């Protein structure tokens, strides 16, 4: 899949963001190894800590569908490209490395990086398996 197609899917998902408190709409699209695309939008909560980011919404949709291997993630929000937050980086890392395409809300400006570059020296299950 061309990166722009994944960005476009993230932009489409962003249209469904529920963000009455921040007004900051985010969309994400995750490309599975199967070729399927899973999308998510941020969903905010009056009890702010209950908010779910677009990236984690896309990831949980993918896992629910049985997909556990991912090629790339596109995230779209803001006037300039955004990167996934720390909590999302950590949950995404559960499923290995992947390309991360960071785009603005219009999907016209973007740059590519990787999850391992965004979350170097990540904590993982390997740490507690070592100490068992
Ligand atoms: N948000 C995301 O959906 N993804 C990110 O990577 C950064 C933050 C959401 C959470 C909240 O609804 C709003 O953006 C402002 O933080």
């Amino acid at each position: 899949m061309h990166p722009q197609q994944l960005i476009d899917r993230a932009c489409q998902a962003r249209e469904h963001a529920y963000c009455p408190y921040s007004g900051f709409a985010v969309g994400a699209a995750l490309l599975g190894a199967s070729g399927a695309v899973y999308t998510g939008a941020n969903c905010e909560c009056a009890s702010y800590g209950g908010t779910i980011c677009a990236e984690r919404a896309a990831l949980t949709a993918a896992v629910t569908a049985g997909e556990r291997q991912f090629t790339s993630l596109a995230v779209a929000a803001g006037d300039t490209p955004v990167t996934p937050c720390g909590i999302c980086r950590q949950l995404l890392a559960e499923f290995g490395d992947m390309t991360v395409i960071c785009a603005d809300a219009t999907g016209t400006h973007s740059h590519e990086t990787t999850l391992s570059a965004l979350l170097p020296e990540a904590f993982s299950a390997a740490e507690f398996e070592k100490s068992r």
Side-chain angles (χ1 to χ4, degrees), residues 17-28 40-45 48 51-56 75-77 82-86 88-89:
Y18 174 73
C19 52
Y21 309 109
S22 74
F24 192 76
V26 186
N42 54 331
C43 182
E44 296 187 344
C45 182
Y48 295 170
T51 292
I52 298 175
C53 293
E55 297 90 327
R56 278 178 290 141
V75 52
V82 297
T83 58
C85 82
C88 291
R89 292 177 198 197

Side-chain angles (χ1 to χ4, degrees), residues 51-96:
T51 292
I52 298 175
C53 293
E55 297 90 327
R56 278 178 290 141
L59 183 61
T60 53
V63 170
T64 301
E67 189 95 51
R68 292 186 181 179
Q69 288 186 310
F70 304 103
T71 307
S72 48
L73 167 78
V75 52
D79 293 338
T80 56
V82 297
T83 58
C85 82
I87 299 168
C88 291
R89 292 177 198 197
Q90 186 69 47
L91 188 63
L92 289 161
E94 193 72 25
F95 300 94

Side-chain angles (χ1 to χ4, degrees), residues 4 7 11 75-82 101-112:
Q4 190 59 49
I7 293 170
C11 290
V75 52
D79 293 338
T80 56
V82 297
I101 307 163
C102 308
D104 67 355
T106 65
T108 50
H109 299 283
S110 64
H111 63 82
E112 271 189 35

